[in-house]
């Protein structure tokens, strides 16, 4: 019991440096952050205190690691917001101020909101005016079509999905792979055909009946035109009223995010995974290449939330 008491007495010494913890951790609302403040104080003197010099003891330097926060979207647009202001800010960055109604209802600083399929972080908001601000990095401006926006432009908005929410579309990361150009629009009944052209680096991931996020909208590819580097999709009447794609004219750009499953499979093949099994010294493993590869692909499917 004496030894246990001594250990507990020493354990609270690093806790005295609580004031040195970066202030950013005060923004974390997770229950886990509260557990750092809970301890049972020991009022009995430790027997080891006779052999130590408290004045010379220094708490160990703790390397605090900011938790990686990964946001996920479904590609089901919640509302269309209106650009109120965009351009260089006083702090030297590029800010985008958007007027919205739905996504701002429970917004907090640091929240992730997909703007035309681009995952952006809320840096400021005003619930009275119904506006929020996000910052754009130089790489974001280069990779997406957001630089073409102007005051009055409409954008697709979606908050990051919660664990209790429904997965109505497919897993969208909000990491735009590149842009495509609208090269054709054709009405059929109350539906709208749209044809998009993009570069070959993205076209290799586009497959008929496969998922693709266009300006953050989860859509299904209908046909792929390899020689033209084009693909098309169809918007039903309801979707046309809820997203910004029909408002764009031929020649305008759209943000594209291909299904992550294709990237995983490509990387797996390039890593030599299959060849390493084929070159195995054990002949009995050769017959297991197909089943093993199928298992890995199935795991990737489950991970990404897609289905072959």
């Amino acid at each position: 019991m004496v030894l246990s008491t001594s250990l507990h007495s020493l354990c609270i010494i690093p806790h005295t440096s609580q004031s040195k913890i970066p202030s950013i951790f005060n923004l974390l609302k997770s229950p886990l952050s509260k557990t750092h403040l809970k301890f049972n104080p020991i009022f009995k003197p430790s027997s080891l205190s006779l052999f130590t010099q408290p004045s010379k003891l220094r708490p160990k330097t703790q390397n605090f690691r900011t938790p990686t926060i990964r946001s996920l979207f479904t590609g089901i647009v919640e509302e269309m917001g209106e650009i109120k202001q965009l351009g260089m800010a006083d702090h030297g960055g590029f800010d985008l101020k958007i007027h919205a109604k739905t996504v701002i209802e429970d917004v907090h600083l640091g929240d992730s909101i997909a703007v035309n399929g681009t995952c952006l972080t809320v840096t400021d908001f005003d619930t009275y005016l119904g506006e929020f601000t996000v910052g754009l990095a130089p790489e974001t401006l280069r990779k997406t079509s957001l630089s073409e926006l102007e005051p009055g432009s409409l954008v697709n908005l979606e908050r990051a999905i919660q664990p209790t929410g429904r997965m109505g579309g497919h897993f969208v990361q909000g990491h735009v792979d590149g842009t495509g150009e609208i090269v054709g629009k054709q009405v059929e009944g109350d539906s709208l055909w749209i044809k998009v052209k993009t570069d070959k680096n993205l076209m290799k991931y586009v497959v008929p009946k496969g998922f693709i996020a266009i300006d953050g909208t989860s859509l299904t590819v209908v046909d792929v035109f390899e020689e033209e580097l084009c693909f098309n999709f169809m918007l039903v009447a309801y979707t046309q009223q809820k997203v910004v794609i029909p408002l764009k004219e031929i020649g305008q750009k759209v943000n594209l995010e291909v299904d992550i499953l294709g990237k995983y499979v490509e990387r797996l093949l390039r890593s030599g995974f299959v060849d390493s099994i084929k070159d195995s010294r054990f002949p009995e493993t050769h017959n297991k290449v197909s089943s093993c590869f199928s298992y890995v692909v199935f795991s990737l499917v489950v991970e990404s939330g897609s289905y072959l």
Side-chain angles (χ1 to χ4, degrees):
M1 292 299 292
V2 174
L3 180 59
S4 174
T5 304
S6 301
L7 290 177
H8 282 292
S9 300
L10 293 176
C11 288
I12 66 173
I13 293 176
H15 197 72
T16 59
S17 62
Q18 181 179 349
S19 59
K20 297 182 180 180
I21 298 178
S23 60
I24 189 174
F25 286 88
N26 296 329
L27 299 177
L28 297 179
K29 302 299 183 181
S30 62
L32 293 176
S33 62
K34 297 181 181 179
T35 58
H36 296 296
L37 302 178
K38 294 181 180 179
F39 62 95
N40 295 323
I42 305 298
F43 297 99
K44 295 182 179 180
S46 169
S47 60
L48 293 180
S49 61
L50 298 176
F51 306 98
T52 60
Q53 299 179 3
S55 59
K56 295 183 179 180
L57 284 179
R58 293 183 179 180
K60 287 186 177 181
T61 302
Q62 300 185 23
N63 296 324
F64 290 97
R65 190 174 179 182
T66 304
T68 301
I69 302 176
R70 297 181 178 179
S71 300
L72 196 64
F73 306 92
T74 67
I76 305 300
V77 177
E78 293 187 84
E79 67 171 322
M80 289 188 287
E82 180 183 355
I83 301 297
K84 303 301 291 185
Q85 182 181 344
L86 73 163
M88 300 300 297
D90 295 336
H91 53 73
F94 193 96
D95 280 354
L96 191 64
K97 182 176 290 187
I98 304 171
H99 176 74
K101 296 180 180 179
T102 303
V103 300
I104 205 173
E105 291 176 353
D106 56 353
V107 70
H108 298 86
L109 289 177
D111 281 358
S112 295
I113 295 180
V115 180
N116 274 1
T118 308
C119 179
L120 299 174
T121 302
V122 176
T123 58
D124 191 18
F125 66 91
D126 188 328
T127 54
Y128 179 77
L129 296 177
E131 298 176 347
F132 69 95
T133 302
V134 292
L136 301 179
E139 177 66 7
T140 304
L141 293 171
R142 287 190 292 265
K143 276 281 189 181
T144 70
S145 63
L146 297 180
S147 60
E148 298 182 353
L149 297 174
E150 56 187 20
S153 297
L154 297 180
V155 290
N156 293 331
L157 299 177
E158 181 191 356
R159 291 168 291 187
I161 188 175
Q162 296 180 344
T164 57
R166 291 186 176 182
M167 178 56 66
H170 71 282
F171 281 5
V172 177
Q173 296 177 296
H175 304 160
V176 175
D177 295 302
T179 59
E181 179 185 350
I182 298 177
V183 294
K185 297 175 68 175
Q186 182 178 353
V187 177
E188 182 179 347
D190 62 351
S191 298
L192 178 64
W193 284 98
I194 295 183
K195 191 174 184 179
V196 175
K197 182 177 183 178
T198 187
D199 61 77
K200 61 181 180 180
N201 292 328
L202 289 183
M203 278 300 298
K204 61 183 178 181
Y205 301 114
V206 181
V207 297
K209 304 303 182 287
F211 287 128
I212 191 168
I214 303 178
D215 275 346
T217 306
S218 176
L219 296 167
T220 302
V221 176
V222 179
D223 293 311
V224 175
F225 309 94
E226 296 288 354
E227 296 181 357
E228 304 176 44
L229 295 179
C230 295
F231 66 91
N232 65 1
F233 58 92
M234 178 176 278
L235 298 176
V236 297
Y238 178 83
T239 306
Q240 294 177 45
Q241 301 172 7
K242 300 297 181 180
V243 300
V244 301
I245 301 173
L247 303 178
K248 294 190 173 182
E249 303 295 336
I250 293 178
Q252 287 190 277
K253 292 182 179 180
V254 290
N255 292 329
L256 302 178
E257 180 184 334
V258 298
D259 191 1
I260 189 63
L261 176 62
K263 296 180 182 179
Y264 279 132
V265 174
E266 180 186 46
R267 184 169 180 82
L268 187 64
L269 293 174
R270 285 186 175 181
S271 68
F273 169 76
V274 176
D275 293 335
S276 65
I277 298 179
K278 288 183 178 180
D279 295 338
S280 174
R281 295 179 300 170
F282 306 100
E284 62 272 13
T285 63
H286 296 174
N287 297 329
K288 298 181 179 179
V289 173
S290 178
S291 60
C292 184
F293 181 72
S294 299
Y295 172 77
V296 174
V297 172
F298 174 76
S299 300
L300 293 175
V301 173
V302 174
E303 173 115 5
S304 65
S306 305
Y307 298 90
L308 292 177

